Amino acid sequence: MTAAPRHAAAAVPAAADTIALGDTIRFRGAAWVVTAFHGPRLFLDVAEPVEPGEPAEPLIILQTAVTSAPDFAVLNRAAPRSTLPGRIGEFHALPRDVRRAAEKWERHVKEVLHQQAPNVPATTAPKPAFDPKLRTLRQRYRAKADQLTQAGTAVSAATVERKCAAWRKEGLMGLVDRRLLRTATSHGRVDGKVVDIVWEILDDERARGLSPGTLSRLIDRVEQTIRARYAHLLVDPKTARGLVNSPATFYRLLERLGITADNAHDAAARHAAGPAISSARPGARRATWARWPGELVQIDTTGLDVLVLGDDGRVISVELTIAICVATRSIVGSLIVPKRVGRTAGTGRWLAGRATRSFDTMQVVAQTTAPLPARPGWAPETFMEGSDLPFEELLAADPRFAGAAARPVIKPETLVVDHGSPFVSEDFTRACHSLGIEVREARLRTAADKAVVERAMRAVKTGFSQYLASYTHHRLDLRGKRVRKQPLWTIPELQELFEQWVILHWQQTPHGALRSPFTPGLRLTPNQMYAALVSLRGYRSTALAEQENRKLLPAVWVRVSRKGFQINNRTYNLGRGKLDPCRGSSGITAQQGRWEVHYSPDHPEVAWLFNHRAEPGTDPWIEVPFIHRRLLSDRWTEEAWAEALHLHLAGGGSRRDEAAITRATAHLLRTAAAGPQAAPASSPAPRTAVPSRPALPAPAEPYDDDMPPLDPDSVRPFRSLDRPAGDLFDPSEPARGAEQNLEEFLASLPGLDPPAAADPGPAGGTDSRPRPEDTFRADDGPATPPGGLPGDEPDSARQGDNQ
């Protein structure tokens, strides 16, 4: 093997995990060339030995041992090889006569360059006129030109030379006659100045914020601009050709340009954004085409069309953020967060809930660098061990794959984002750059730049969201009427369901855009496509250190005083003056002398201050706790603090009373941990519409304390019946031993005889209360107690009846 020339000692400014085939690296004081990948092992060949004359022996070593060496560096990146573009599909789309002409020229070119023509054995000797041993290349050009001219096709030697150069550069497509491929321009015979004026007027309307009008207004403005700007050209009919057009021609022109009355400004924005391939950026490619895993990853956020139960017990909507690899169509990161639910009156601040923030998008990017651990209770089909992924090779390269779910780990090289605030924020861009990820923004109002992730979002809604109980259609006319009354999932439960759906459904469903170069007739799943393409670049573990993880957290710039510093109305400080060295200016003029602090919104108990003045070799991070964190025994988040602050201010509290806000947060966490409480039973309201009734005397308490003791000898037993019970109320025979029959006895009861006219009282009114003389009358003989039997005497009553 020929040794590579000596290279400069300066390392290539690239991340350590981007080793590719053909790279020259420094390891153990020598220069090596990466020749192959096989699982976790690297095949290295010596480029420069440590000592001259030392035998150059190849080396097979673990990739982690190479990258963890103190002197490891990438010295030189291999130059890209010149390859013929694969344009076979484009060639077959040409007309038949054009293809036949190109194939005919290919036979002549191969003969000139001594390339074996089709159906000619390789052992056949070339013709003397085209033998490389007898004729030079220019002599063969002339011989082929004379041969074609004698056959009836006048061709020069320069034309043959041009055809041979085009075939070497572009293959068969280089021999196609370009004149046959010419198509009409988008503006036809209309002068190009008219098209430029159309875009100029639309761009001016967008810049000034004017509303788009009808196409007739646009045509009138174009004609006015032409008459004012090109008045000297309109004098001569020859120069005015193409500038003066009829209204019908203008309407056809706008139709060719894709301009309608509804999308005029959107079409102008797409035209101003330019094509998807930028000639100013070397190596720029279309945003929807990738060759290996991680080369291009698209990320986006959209509503999930699902109602969930929020942490505060309210019904809310959620948003989903996913990152998808273009080469394998694998979803390598996902996060579900609640949407915002409303605003406070007049202040413009959100009342509760939140939307996707830059910290959430950074968590999605962080998921792409580590395996997804399988949760307890998941099915065995979710584990990577039994999937189509190369589990044994990946486990040997990264021990974190033990017990991982069947989702590949693909670190992005280029991340395509839209212009949403979470993706264009400083924190998100800084975190991606620290990981060696290039962030590429899609064009405005151009869905084609993120077509893969946009289509994946639609597939998520049709394959996952609509099967949930709380699904809400994005169209109001198709939305259910009782969706809020259905059983609702919580956000953690919904996140776990979505991760299982990605593993069991998305990663194992064949995709129409995934074709293996070895089996082009079969559609592959994302896991199978990753297993086929991972050998092109190999897998390198990306394990971030604790200091690197802190750099991914959101950063705030604060001023440090004697009392510490504040983040979102919380004070952080260290005792015994440990923050005194950081008091005053940090020396960073761009931040007005403030200090850089990182913290996690999901765990804001502590913050990390980065000391820019730290001595080399010392830890520049200073962990600073929240001064009232001991009042919070449970784990709390930024959202819990914001909700407690809102309740504290609603109760008349002060924003400066951090201890009271902390206690309100603790109370909110205890309330949430206790779960929903049963509503207290409401006492019925008094009925004022019903007229008041006279109060009845309270009944005597039979077991009052002043009741005399009971004498057992004074208790008389109730007499037994002297006749059958069935004949007791016989109306034809009076009761034995009684002076009344049954009708007379029933008539003597107080509630069965018709009421008599009440005697007037002392005040002239009537008294409806029962009187003793109405119940026991002296002329009826012995008084019968109410409810007793005929013949019972008053002295035979029980003692308790008189109480």
Side-chain angles (χ1 to χ4, degrees), residues 303-320 335-341 353-354 464-465 468-472 483-498:
L304 200 54
D305 295 343
V306 174
L307 296 180
V308 300
L309 190 64
D311 296 338
D312 53 358
R314 288 179 289 188
V315 179
I316 58 175
S317 301
V318 292
E319 286 183 348
L320 171 66
L335 186 65
I336 299 176
V337 300
K339 279 187 178 180
R340 293 165 173 163
V341 298
R354 61 181 175 90
F464 174 72
S465 299
L468 297 177
S470 55
Y471 170 68
T472 60
V483 180
R484 291 178 175 269
K485 297 182 179 180
Q486 296 180 357
L488 301 178
W489 301 96
T490 62
I491 294 181
E493 293 172 344
L494 188 63
Q495 177 74 32
E496 187 172 347
L497 285 177
F498 180 75

Side-chain angles (χ1 to χ4, degrees), residues 202-259:
L202 292 178
D203 291 338
D204 180 69
E205 290 180 353
R206 289 194 310 113
R208 294 192 298 167
L210 302 179
S211 60
T214 60
L215 296 182
S216 60
R217 189 189 76 174
L218 176 62
I219 294 174
D220 292 340
R221 293 183 176 180
V222 172
E223 291 179 344
Q224 294 174 8
T225 306
I226 292 175
R227 288 193 296 267
R229 185 176 301 177
Y230 303 107
H232 61 286
L233 298 178
L234 299 178
V235 178
D236 189 358
K238 294 182 179 180
T239 57
R241 183 178 303 173
L243 293 175
V244 180
N245 302 279
S246 63
T249 304
F250 266 114
Y251 280 110
R252 287 194 297 268
L253 172 64
L254 297 179
E255 182 179 359
R256 290 181 178 180
L257 297 178
I259 299 175

Side-chain angles (χ1 to χ4, degrees), residues 47 62 103 182 214 267 291 303 372 448 452 468 563 567 607 633 665 800:
L62 291 176
E103 292 170 352
R182 294 175 182 173
T214 60
R291 294 168 292 181
L372 175 66
V452 176
L468 297 177
K563 297 181 179 180
I567 301 177
S633 57
T665 305

Side-chain angles (χ1 to χ4, degrees), residues 415-736:
L415 200 63
V416 181
V417 301
D418 55 15
H419 296 265
S421 58
F423 303 109
V424 298
S425 63
E426 181 181 356
D427 291 335
F428 179 79
T429 306
R430 173 183 48 79
C432 292
H433 289 173
S434 65
L435 294 176
I437 301 175
E438 177 190 358
V439 180
R440 181 189 302 177
E441 295 183 2
R443 294 175 295 173
L444 288 172
R445 302 179 181 88
T446 307
D449 289 355
K450 297 197 298 78
V452 176
V453 68
E454 295 285 354
R455 185 61 183 88
M457 286 297 189
R458 290 177 51 192
V460 167
K461 293 182 180 181
T462 57
F464 174 72
S465 299
Q466 69 170 344
Y467 292 97
L468 297 177
S470 55
Y471 170 68
T472 60
H473 203 280
H474 62 277
R475 288 176 49 183
L476 295 178
D477 56 336
L478 299 179
R479 185 170 299 180
K481 298 181 180 179
R482 298 177 178 86
V483 180
R484 291 178 175 269
K485 297 182 179 180
Q486 296 180 357
L488 301 178
W489 301 96
T490 62
I491 294 181
E493 293 172 344
L494 188 63
Q495 177 74 32
E496 187 172 347
L497 285 177
F498 180 75
E499 291 175 351
Q500 295 186 63
W501 178 83
V502 169
I503 297 169
L504 297 176
H505 178 78
W506 181 270
Q507 294 295 131
Q508 302 186 24
T509 301
H511 198 285
L514 300 180
R515 307 280 178 167
S516 172
F518 309 105
T519 56
L522 299 178
R523 297 189 305 168
L524 302 182
T525 65
N527 284 347
Q528 294 172 349
M529 193 66 182
Y530 175 80
L533 297 180
V534 69
S535 58
L536 296 179
R537 304 285 289 180
Y539 172 80
R540 269 77 66 189
S541 174
T542 305
L544 301 179
E546 185 178 3
Q547 292 78 8
E548 296 173 341
N549 283 324
R550 291 173 184 172
K551 277 290 185 180
L552 300 180
L553 298 175
V556 293
W557 294 86
V558 300
R559 298 189 183 276
V560 181
S561 63
R562 181 179 57 84
K563 297 181 179 180
F565 57 87
Q566 279 202 345
I567 301 177
N568 294 338
N569 206 62
R570 296 186 304 272
T571 301
Y572 294 81
N573 196 4
L574 287 174
R576 299 180 181 178
K578 295 181 180 181
L579 280 182
D580 290 344
C582 298
R583 292 173 58 182
S585 176
S586 63
I588 303 177
T589 57
Q591 296 294 335
Q592 291 81 36
R594 291 176 292 184
W595 294 84
E596 180 182 359
V597 175
H598 295 260
Y599 78 102
S600 173
D602 292 340
H603 191 67
E605 286 189 357
V606 295
W608 290 272
L609 186 145
F610 186 78
N611 187 7
H612 300 271
R613 301 175 179 177
E615 296 294 335
T618 61
D619 188 8
W621 295 95
I622 302 176
E623 182 176 341
V624 186
F626 174 47
I627 60 175
H628 297 295
R629 66 172 182 173
R630 298 188 181 278
L631 298 178
L632 296 167
S633 57
D634 299 329
R635 183 173 180 177
W636 53 287
T637 61
E638 188 86 8
E639 286 73 28
W641 176 271
E643 183 70 18
L645 176 62
H646 172 73
L647 298 176
H648 175 72
L649 296 178
S654 174
R655 187 180 295 270
R656 298 182 179 181
D657 193 354
E658 297 184 18
I661 301 175
T662 307
R663 286 190 289 268
T665 305
H667 177 72
L668 182 65
L669 295 176
R670 289 193 299 268
T671 304
Q677 302 295 330
S682 58
S683 57
R687 301 176 59 184
T688 56
V690 180
S692 58
R693 298 180 179 178
L696 297 178
E701 178 63 35
Y703 305 102
D704 200 358
D705 295 339
D706 54 355
M707 184 179 65
L710 180 63
D711 185 10
D713 297 336
S714 62
V715 177
R716 299 175 55 186
F718 194 82
R719 67 181 181 87
S720 60
L721 295 177
D722 54 355
R723 60 182 301 179
D727 300 338
L728 183 61
F729 299 98
D730 187 4
S732 59
E733 182 180 359
R736 183 178 305 175

